[in-house]
Amino acid sequence: MGSLGSPRSTPNSKPSTNQNDHASELETSPSPFPRHLLAEKTQMSRSESAKKKIKNKEILKPKIVTGDGGYVLEDVPHFSDYMPGVPSHPNPLQDNPAYSVVKQYFVDVDDTVSQKIVVQQNSKKGTHFRRAGPRQKVYFESDEVQACIVTCGGLCPGLNTVVRELVCALFDIYGVTKILGIKGGYKGFYSCNTIELTPKKVNDIHKRGGTILGTSRGGHDTVKIVDAIQDRGINHVYIIGGDGTQKGAAMIYEEIQRRGLKVAVVGIPKTIDNDIEVIDKSFGFDTAVEEAQKAIYAAHVEAESHENGIGLVKLMGRNSGFIAMYATLASRDVDCCLIPESPFHLEGEGGLLEFIEKRLKENGHMVIVVAEGAGQDLIADSLRDTNHDASGNKLLLDVGLWLSQKIKEHFSGKKKMRVNLKYIDPTYMIRAVPSNASDNIYCTLLAHSAIHGAMAGYTGFTVGSVNGRHAYIPYHRITEKQKKVVITDRMWARLLSSTNQPSFLSHEFIKNVKGEETDLGSQFYLENEYCNGSITDAIKNM
């Protein structure tokens, strides 16, 4: 926790009616917006404001608060930053009978969550984020709130749960009754494709996979989306999606801010790959790992039942191999796990094919798990597809099929050894299932945190768990880079110990790295600062 230097709230204390109470809450947080811009009352029409370019770029800079001992708070925007004098109201949560047993309704105004939890005696306090939760003051009356919810990108377990909990919490906790569902992703904003959402309509949707709102990639047109938000009188926008979707949410927030609208834009990060930076994990990940066990078990049964049987399972993970790694560790039946972060080679000493041959001779069967983004650099350039999907993601070739063919060719050709290989791709089965108990609870907490923040006047942020505490995180922190498996970390070492697989790094690769004869930063994913020391130290510590 870090202190912002503001008075702490007392348990169950009655909030004041001061309209500018947020100013005292953030008195040590200087506004990043120029005072002369704050003083101007924007009267331009929607079309004029959409075309206007803000010359002073200070208005969109991150909101940073510093304190003693190297304390840094990466704060999120608030209405009072660009709408001075915006009125506040007592939080209706204090009158909610369900919360009457709670000793303290509201989080303290100076509560923050530390990004780094392991520190040394002389460590700086480091980066913090504003703690999520209900505040004593809200900046919306319940009957004035018109909320909308949209889901974008690919499917993920838990989407329906998040939608359900947003609707039910808005209705049951804050008494909000006007809630719209935007159908078909971002394009649904300007295609007038909406449905009315009520607790009754969403009552059982958490038991089903997918999303009742539908989803799509692309379709983002900032001006059209904000025009639709303004036309319909929407003032709460809840956007559920991955890093690409959150980048779109940031653009929507910036346009709303330029127009001076009292609209809260809140992101709820969604990616089954668990590749969103800063947060502990994304919803749906636990379910994906659990469902992957079924495919790995089937592959193990197939492999064990045949002479020289090989079960090959391809799991999700375009750029990050978290599902493959955690599913492998959970299963204990896997002999080899391949992920995008760890380079490997097929032929020669220390190669994958040599390891497969060795394991078949020892055990008579083996199970291989491969993340969909692994080995893409090994696939011949003549076969490489450089097309992209509507979200801008490069379309990957099926590494599972390619690897299956390479293994069969190797053993039928050079080795004259018969293998029985079964390839299992459960990707879409895993994406489409309902979320499990763990993810259902997590989705509920995410939805509640998002609503508390929006009602308290915060905007332009996403919610997530940081070291076990829910926090409000600026958009730029979760979109600037993707989280990846650190192959010099103990978790990857645990996997190598569990599978007894080699690192598959060639001797030439290690020689070059140790001698620092070539620049292998991009090849070894060091541009993401995976290693605290040099490349040489990273290899030595593997």
Side-chain angles (χ1 to χ4, degrees):
M1 296 297 181
S3 175
L4 301 184
S6 301
R8 298 177 67 87
S9 60
T10 56
N12 295 345
S13 60
K14 295 291 184 180
S16 67
T17 57
N18 181 8
Q19 294 182 354
N20 296 317
D21 71 308
H22 189 75
S24 63
E25 179 178 333
L26 299 179
E27 62 186 4
T28 58
S29 174
S31 172
F33 310 110
R35 293 299 177 187
H36 71 278
L37 286 179
L38 289 174
E40 292 179 0
K41 188 75 173 179
T42 304
Q43 298 294 341
M44 67 183 64
S45 67
R46 183 179 65 241
S47 60
E48 289 174 333
S49 65
K51 294 177 181 178
K52 180 180 178 182
K53 294 181 179 180
I54 302 297
K55 293 181 180 179
N56 193 335
K57 295 183 179 180
E58 293 290 319
I59 198 167
L60 298 178
K61 276 191 173 182
K63 188 177 175 183
I64 305 296
V65 181
T66 58
D68 296 336
Y71 173 88
V72 177
L73 169 64
E74 294 199 24
D75 208 354
V76 296
H78 190 272
F79 289 151
S80 61
D81 294 332
Y82 62 97
M83 298 176 64
V86 59
S88 63
H89 315 280
N91 193 326
L93 182 64
Q94 64 180 346
D95 300 319
N96 190 314
Y99 286 81
S100 61
V101 297
V102 180
K103 292 183 178 180
Q104 184 169 344
Y105 296 143
F106 310 112
V107 299
D108 290 329
V109 297
D110 58 352
D111 277 0
T112 60
V113 178
S114 176
Q115 181 177 2
K116 185 178 180 182
I117 196 169
V118 178
V119 297
Q120 291 75 43
Q121 184 177 0
N122 297 321
S123 295
K124 294 183 177 180
K125 291 183 179 179
T127 300
H128 291 66
F129 302 103
R130 187 167 291 279
R131 183 184 176 190
R135 264 62 181 176
Q136 288 186 339
K137 288 292 185 180
V138 296
Y139 286 75
F140 293 95
E141 294 277 18
S142 298
D143 57 1
E144 75 171 303
V145 174
Q146 297 191 61
C148 74
I149 305 168
V150 63
T151 54
C152 304
L155 294 183
C156 176
L159 280 170
N160 273 336
T161 306
V162 175
V163 173
R164 181 190 187 279
E165 296 309 317
L166 283 171
V167 174
C168 292
L170 280 167
F171 189 93
D172 295 332
I173 297 178
Y174 285 103
V176 174
T177 59
K178 292 171 284 190
I179 309 169
L180 285 178
I182 307 297
K183 300 202 69 176
Y186 275 135
K187 64 183 179 182
F189 277 100
Y190 51 85
S191 64
C192 300
N193 198 5
T194 64
I195 59 172
E196 183 182 354
L197 297 176
T198 64
K200 185 176 180 180
K201 285 185 179 178
V202 301
N203 184 51
D204 293 325
I205 64 172
H206 62 292
K207 300 175 184 177
R208 312 201 305 260
T211 164
I212 64 164
L213 300 180
T215 186
S216 67
R217 298 187 184 275
H220 187 279
D221 187 313
T222 305
V223 173
K224 286 185 177 180
I225 291 171
V226 178
D227 285 350
I229 290 170
Q230 194 168 357
D231 286 343
R232 296 174 182 176
I234 293 170
N235 48 26
H236 278 211
V237 182
Y238 297 97
I239 300 173
I240 310 167
D243 56 351
T245 300
Q246 300 305 316
K247 289 177 183 177
M251 295 169 66
I252 292 171
Y253 154 69
E254 290 171 2
E255 179 61 23
I256 284 174
Q257 185 191 62
R258 289 187 184 103
R259 300 189 190 190
L261 303 177
K262 185 185 173 185
V263 178
V265 181
V266 183
I268 299 177
K270 174 234 63 171
T271 169
I272 202 169
D273 293 346
N274 195 38
D275 58 1
I276 292 181
E277 191 62 46
V278 179
I279 65 175
D280 297 338
K281 65 177 179 179
S282 47
F283 72 83
F285 175 69
D286 283 352
T287 303
V289 172
E290 184 176 302
E291 288 297 311
Q293 302 301 296
K294 299 176 183 178
I296 294 174
Y297 175 74
H300 183 253
V301 170
E302 287 284 352
E304 200 174 32
S305 300
H306 295 85
E307 182 182 4
N308 294 327
I310 300 175
L312 176 60
V313 180
K314 185 186 77 172
L315 298 175
M316 288 152 292
R318 295 180 60 86
N319 301 302
S320 304
F322 287 102
I323 293 179
M325 179 175 71
Y326 277 83
T328 295
L329 283 168
S331 169
R332 301 292 175 173
D333 285 332
V334 178
D335 299 279
C336 180
C337 178
L338 306 172
I339 61 174
E341 295 88 340
S342 183
F344 68 93
H345 62 287
L346 289 176
E347 306 285 350
E349 184 180 357
L352 176 62
L353 295 175
E354 180 186 76
F355 174 68
I356 293 174
E357 183 179 350
K358 176 184 176 183
R359 187 53 58 92
L360 289 177
K361 289 179 179 178
E362 290 175 348
N363 296 341
H365 66 276
M366 75 175 300
V367 176
I368 303 171
V369 168
V370 57
E372 61 182 325
Q376 293 293 317
D377 58 325
L378 297 180
I379 303 177
D381 289 340
S382 59
L383 299 177
R384 194 177 295 247
D385 188 341
T386 58
N387 291 327
H388 295 72
D389 64 21
S391 294
N393 300 312
K394 186 173 71 174
L395 295 175
L396 302 179
L397 292 172
D398 192 330
V399 66
L401 287 174
W402 175 81
L403 193 56
S404 298
Q405 188 62 32
K406 287 295 183 181
I407 293 172
K408 290 177 181 178
E409 289 175 358
H410 174 78
F411 285 100
S412 63
K414 297 179 182 179
K415 296 297 177 179
K416 304 296 182 183
M417 178 179 174
R418 180 180 177 82
V419 296
N420 289 278
L421 189 148
K422 300 295 186 294
Y423 172 45
I424 299 175
D425 180 0
T427 301
Y428 294 104
M429 295 176 64
I430 291 175
R431 295 195 335 168
V433 300
S435 53
N436 64 10
S438 173
D439 274 324
N440 272 336
I441 295 171
Y442 188 39
C443 289
T444 299
L445 298 179
L446 288 173
H448 287 198
S449 294
I451 293 169
H452 291 318
M455 292 296 294
Y458 294 105
T459 181
F461 69 91
T462 190
V463 295
S465 176
V466 179
N467 292 320
R469 293 285 186 177
H470 284 245
Y472 300 142
I473 306 165
Y475 281 131
H476 72 91
R477 284 304 311 273
I478 65 166
T479 59
E480 59 191 1
K481 65 179 181 178
Q482 286 183 315
K483 182 168 66 174
K484 296 178 182 288
V485 173
V486 183
I487 62 172
T488 57
D489 191 40
R490 279 193 291 270
M491 187 59 78
W492 185 246
R494 293 184 184 105
L495 181 140
L496 296 178
S497 175
S498 171
T499 61
N500 290 315
Q501 70 186 68
S503 67
F504 297 121
L505 299 178
S506 67
H507 292 296
E508 188 65 24
F509 182 92
I510 297 175
K511 177 183 177 181
N512 286 337
V513 172
K514 286 184 176 180
E516 297 182 348
E517 298 171 6
T518 58
D519 180 11
L520 298 171
S522 60
Q523 188 173 356
F524 205 59
Y525 296 94
L526 294 178
E527 74 278 10
N528 288 299
E529 300 177 339
Y530 290 159
C531 304
N532 293 324
S534 66
I535 299 177
T536 304
D537 293 334
I539 292 296
K540 286 180 179 178
N541 293 327
M542 286 188 66

